Amino acid sequence: MSCILLLATILIMEFFDNTLKNINVAEEKLKIPAMGMLSKVFKTKDKLDLNSIQERLMELCMQNLNHVFKTQNTSNKTKVITIISTQKEEGKTVIASNIAKKLKQAGKSVLVLNHSNVSKPEISSNQFPLLNRFLGYQDPRRDYSHPFLANASEFLSESEYLTYDVNTEFYNAKNYEELAVKEMEILNQKLDYVIVELPNILETNYPADLIETSDMVLLVCRSNRLWTKADENLLDNIKEITNSKLQFIINGVEIEEVEALLGELPKQRSKARKRIKNMLRFQFHLESHI
């Protein structure tokens, strides 16, 4: 009886879950193409090779990014990627840094421009919930030692990561050069890619001309957040000036959602967790062997 009540609770929670959750749900709500999704970075205690999983997800994102630029006539110019979010703490800085890291590894010259009032994430010290332990779920706490969350200074030089002030010049900027006027001597070199991170557009006005002239605009969204009418209205405004250049990355996706893209991942699961997962799949008599 308790198992039935637990299963019913899980199904009800799934039914009323109105978060962005994964690529398919996000595409339906946002109505723009997806560049990819990235996993939540949690403590695995060596039960799961999250490094390889996140690396593969980043490779898929980069593959889609390269495909977009292949279809554009931008081979001999600096490609500008503007990264936006409607709300704060969606993961723009981490994603911008990791895109720059991948481009640099591919031998490309890159510059990241970030706003100077970016805040550092608070490090949580929450305990591993007992229910998660019992059901065999992963430790939900963020793993701050994961290489995906490494500071950009570890793989980008000072000339590759610059900041700009959010002021009148920012709001009137027509291109990335106008955001970094003081560092123009650094920008004299030919750059393959420039990644511009904007403050969240729900709280800060955005430079429409800069977004319009970008070669790609990348919207970053957390998977565990609701998509509100305010978000929708802001995105509609962005769509009007970006046309087909706008895509999104869904960030912090649960590992079960990642399996829909990469296939079932090898990991340790408790018997209770296996039974619940099979019931949710309606595979009541599934065995691992003949």
Side-chain angles (χ1 to χ4, degrees):
M1 184 66 180
S2 59
C3 289
I4 295 175
L5 288 175
L6 179 60
L7 177 59
T9 302
I10 293 174
L11 291 173
I12 291 172
M13 290 173 64
E14 287 289 316
F15 181 79
F16 287 103
D17 184 359
N18 198 31
T19 62
L20 293 179
K21 193 173 181 178
N22 57 38
I23 278 185
N24 293 332
V25 174
E27 276 188 320
E28 183 178 341
K29 291 180 180 292
L30 305 181
K31 297 178 176 59
I32 57 176
M35 177 174 288
M37 65 179 178
L38 295 167
S39 170
K40 180 180 180 181
V41 180
F42 54 86
K43 295 178 182 290
T44 63
K45 299 186 183 298
D46 299 324
K47 293 182 179 180
L48 186 68
D49 187 1
L50 190 57
N51 286 0
S52 297
I53 293 170
Q54 197 76 326
E55 187 71 14
R56 180 55 183 151
L57 292 173
M58 270 303 302
E59 288 174 355
L60 292 174
C61 289
M62 296 305 297
Q63 180 177 302
N64 290 335
L65 182 146
N66 291 329
H67 177 75
V68 170
F69 285 125
K70 285 281 187 184
T71 61
Q72 299 178 1
N73 187 22
T74 58
S75 57
N76 296 320
K77 60 166 287 192
T78 298
K79 303 170 186 64
V80 180
I81 305 170
T82 298
I83 299 184
I84 65 173
S85 69
T86 57
Q87 298 186 13
K88 60 183 179 181
E89 296 181 3
E90 303 274 14
K92 298 191 301 294
T93 301
V94 172
I95 290 175
S97 298
N98 278 276
I99 291 175
K101 181 180 180 180
K102 284 292 184 184
L103 291 171
K104 190 174 179 180
Q105 289 174 345
K108 306 298 183 181
S109 57
V110 63
L111 170 67
V112 176
L113 286 172
N114 199 353
H115 52 98
S116 57
N117 57 346
V118 63
S119 59
K120 294 182 179 180
E122 294 183 5
I123 297 179
S124 173
S125 59
N126 294 335
Q127 298 296 314
F128 189 177
L130 290 176
L131 182 61
N132 287 50
R133 289 180 189 271
F134 174 74
L135 294 177
Y137 287 100
Q138 71 268 4
D139 189 336
R141 294 173 296 176
R142 183 179 296 183
D143 183 6
Y144 291 96
S145 64
H146 194 285
F148 185 72
L149 299 180
N151 193 291
S153 61
E154 294 185 22
F155 46 83
L156 296 176
S157 67
E158 291 184 2
S159 62
E160 293 173 326
Y161 192 97
L162 304 175
T163 59
Y164 62 85
D165 295 324
V166 179
N167 51 25
T168 304
E169 286 73 19
F170 163 74
Y171 297 123
N172 295 327
K174 294 180 174 57
N175 49 56
Y176 74 91
E177 291 98 330
E178 294 184 9
L179 291 181
V181 175
K182 296 178 181 178
E183 292 85 7
M184 282 304 294
E185 65 275 6
I186 296 176
L187 301 179
N188 285 336
Q189 60 176 319
K190 173 68 168 64
L191 294 166
D192 295 316
Y193 290 88
V194 173
I195 302 171
V196 181
E197 179 185 332
L198 301 184
N200 75 86
I201 60 177
L202 192 62
E203 297 179 347
T204 308
N205 291 337
Y206 54 85
D209 290 336
L210 185 147
I211 291 178
E212 185 177 14
T213 57
S214 299
D215 300 293
M216 173 184 288
V217 179
L218 187 56
L219 173 69
V220 177
C221 300
R222 280 183 291 108
S223 66
N224 63 348
R225 56 159 294 192
L226 298 174
W227 188 251
T228 67
K229 186 63 177 179
D231 296 310
E232 184 178 338
N233 291 337
L234 284 169
L235 185 59
D236 286 342
N237 292 337
I238 297 294
K239 287 177 181 178
E240 291 180 0
I241 58 177
T242 56
N243 298 318
S244 60
K245 298 182 293 186
L246 179 62
Q247 297 199 15
F248 76 88
I249 284 182
I250 191 77
N251 191 29
V253 174
E254 296 293 342
I255 203 67
E256 287 77 10
E257 303 298 336
V258 173
E259 288 182 330
L261 182 64
L262 301 183
E264 186 160 354
L265 305 171
K267 55 185 175 181
Q268 298 178 14
R269 293 185 175 95
S270 69
K271 290 183 179 179
R273 174 75 175 116
K274 290 177 181 178
R275 289 195 186 100
I276 292 172
K277 184 171 183 178
N278 289 337
M279 284 190 291
L280 289 174
R281 291 176 169 179
F282 300 99
Q283 296 171 333
F284 300 103
H285 305 289
L286 182 67
E287 297 290 345
S288 59
H289 54 82
I290 297 175

